[in-house]
Amino acid sequence: MYGKFQKHLQDELSAIEQAGLYKHERNIVSPQSAEITLEDGSKALNFCANNYLGLADNPRLIKAAEQAMLSHGYGMSSVRFICGTQDMHKELEKAIAEYFHTEDTILYAACFDANGGVFEPLLTAEDAIISDSLNHASIIDGVRLCKAQRFRYANADMADLEEKLKEAQSCRFRIIVTDGVFSMDGNVAPMDKICDLAEKYEALVMVDESHSAGVVGKTGHGVAEQFDCYGRIDIFTGTLGKAFGGAVGGFTTGRKEIIDMLRQRSRPYLFSNSLPPMIVGAGLETFKILRESNALHDRLVENVNYFRDKMIAAGFDIKPTQSAICAVMLYDAFLSQKFAAAMAEEGIFVTGFYYPVVPKGQARIRVQLSAAHKKEHLDKAIEAFIKVGKKLDVIK
Ligand SMILES: *Cc1c(COP(=O)(O)O)cnc(C)c1O
């Protein structure tokens, strides 16, 4: 039978390739860092990782992971509620709750699972989920797994959100769901206004802090800190795979009864393996580092401001970023690919995005800054941007 199916896949794959949408992997042979080494021995500066706090190769995390393996073993061979919970899992859940000023936390293998398992246990067909149109794929999938009615509002558009809240007034419960930082523009969800509307129209509030925790807010604690919304957000989800060390792991943190119910009914928690000790040990060390000092976050903010100001001065069209994501607007899809390829030749890794990842005519280069970037890295990247920008007639 495979022959016919093979032909079908080959056709689809070549259509993907012809549309220029085929995803190629780049083989890195060094740890993830500001500077990486490729298979052919060449080096590149990395401006497309989610390594916001530069912790992905942090020696303290590596040591903590090693020590956790020595004291608590390699794997758990169990889901949490059967025999997969160690003292460390509870400690990490507590550390995350302290970080977000919440009552309790539940760990998952990834934030994809946290979002996949958050709606279905809490809401039914009588309820409504009101979701930002640019929310992450895992939120969209999580909503699909739940029978609640679905409403979508235009990205960060409070008038549209209010309309949708009015439409959903006949439902039993309503929940507003948003990413904290949207990964394409780097804009921040207006949490204070979202919480105001939630109070006015009696809705719960959930925010996915994957790109915002560790990044936005005065000390990097995310959108609740930035908008002073502590106590007004019912559910936070997040990842250990971006700012918080960059390995794997996700979490949902929030009100006690909500987390309790997830422990009873959330399917990715009930039916998927427990996080291994090395991840949990390094996770605990991550939050210890962040409690000790704000140096990493301070450096990230400094780097973002430096890069953005120099790029604007060079004449680039930069989306007004409020995070560690900086969108350099080119508008033309073909140009965005050519630009990213030319940057790679200069030894700078950035990503070109175009339709359907971003709206038509909104093609761009996305730059992700990190606390790991030194000033010389930023200068090299800016220099390359100016060189390529002039060559491709983007700037004068
Ligand atoms: C990256 C990301 C996720 C997925 O996180 P993982 O832990 O890698 O599964 C979920 N939501 C948002 C908003 C993200 O940016």
Side-chain angles (χ1 to χ4, degrees), residues 96-245:
I96 292 171
E98 275 166 17
Y99 187 89
F100 286 95
H101 299 219
T102 48
E103 292 172 352
D104 197 5
T105 305
I106 176 173
L107 293 170
Y108 289 86
C111 187
F112 209 105
D113 290 325
N115 287 333
V118 70
F119 300 107
E120 188 258 351
L122 300 174
L123 304 167
T124 71
E126 292 176 82
D127 306 316
I129 301 171
I130 305 166
S131 181
D132 189 288
S133 63
L134 290 190
N135 278 345
H136 189 262
S138 54
I139 293 178
I140 296 169
D141 285 9
V143 171
R144 280 187 189 141
L145 292 171
C146 172
K147 294 207 164 57
Q149 291 180 50
R150 301 162 198 177
F151 298 84
R152 224 168 74 121
Y153 64 97
N155 177 232
D157 182 333
M158 293 301 100
D160 198 23
L161 171 57
E162 183 158 16
E163 278 313 303
K164 299 301 176 324
L165 281 163
K166 283 180 188 160
E167 283 174 39
Q169 278 308 293
S170 61
C171 294
R172 182 183 59 164
F173 299 119
R174 287 156 292 286
I175 185 167
I176 304 168
V177 185
T178 182
D179 281 11
V181 161
F182 296 92
S183 65
M184 288 302 143
D185 286 3
N187 58 317
V188 182
M191 285 320 297
D192 49 348
K193 299 197 178 80
I194 289 174
C195 291
D196 288 346
L197 285 173
E199 268 155 40
K200 185 168 170 194
Y201 293 95
E202 289 210 293
L204 297 161
V205 177
M206 168 178 150
V207 59
D208 179 339
E209 289 264 30
S210 290
H211 281 289
S212 45
V215 176
V216 308
K218 198 158 74 57
T219 62
H221 283 230
V223 289
E225 181 184 46
Q226 174 159 350
F227 293 98
D228 196 13
C229 287
Y230 286 118
R232 304 178 80 194
I233 298 170
D234 304 284
I235 303 173
F236 299 82
T237 59
T239 181
L240 302 177
K242 291 183 172 120
F244 297 147

Side-chain angles (χ1 to χ4, degrees), residues 28-49:
I28 299 167
V29 297
S30 63
Q32 182 64 276
S33 193
E35 186 167 5
I36 51 179
T37 311
L38 307 180
E39 239 176 354
D40 64 2
S42 66
K43 301 223 186 270
L45 294 181
N46 198 353
F47 284 86
C48 50

